[in-house]
Amino acid sequence: MHELSICRNIVTIVSDAAKGRRVRKVTLEIGKLSGVMADAVAFSFDIATQGTALEGAGLEIKEIEGRARCLECGAEFPTATLFEACACGSRNVERIAGEELNVKSMELEEAA
Ligand SMILES: [Zn+2]
């Protein structure tokens, strides 16, 4: 499952950064155009964190709406698909948000 391997990557990144401390909470940013299902990530997170520094950690997912900018007229507009045309008719648009898959922040337990 795609989301499970994503969660395993997140576990690797976060446990490296935690340097042996336990992780209380992880906040992710997932763009709605990234093709990653937030629900599936939440489900996979519990599996991927078992036996790691993240076991039992809370997970918060911030979903990011897609946005695009038209390269013809400069308009910015929300977009729910990867290939949406601008209101001016141009399809020469670039995506400026919505493809994120980031570890936004994490909370660690106090060092002993
Ligand atoms: Zn336009």
Side-chain angles (χ1 to χ4, degrees), residues 12-61:
T12 303
I13 292 165
V14 171
S15 32
D16 279 358
K19 295 183 168 57
R21 289 159 73 183
R22 290 195 69 82
V23 179
R24 276 197 189 139
K25 184 179 167 190
V26 177
T27 303
L28 301 179
E29 283 182 339
I30 299 180
K32 289 192 169 177
L33 304 179
S34 65
V36 177
M37 305 299 296
D39 286 353
V41 168
F43 177 77
S44 304
F45 186 78
D46 285 341
I47 300 167
T49 53
Q50 278 171 24
T52 74
L54 285 72
E55 187 166 352
L59 176 67
E60 185 180 345
I61 295 177

Side-chain angles (χ1 to χ4, degrees), residues 70 72-75 86-90:
C70 178
E72 302 295 333
C73 73
C86 176
C88 76
S90 167

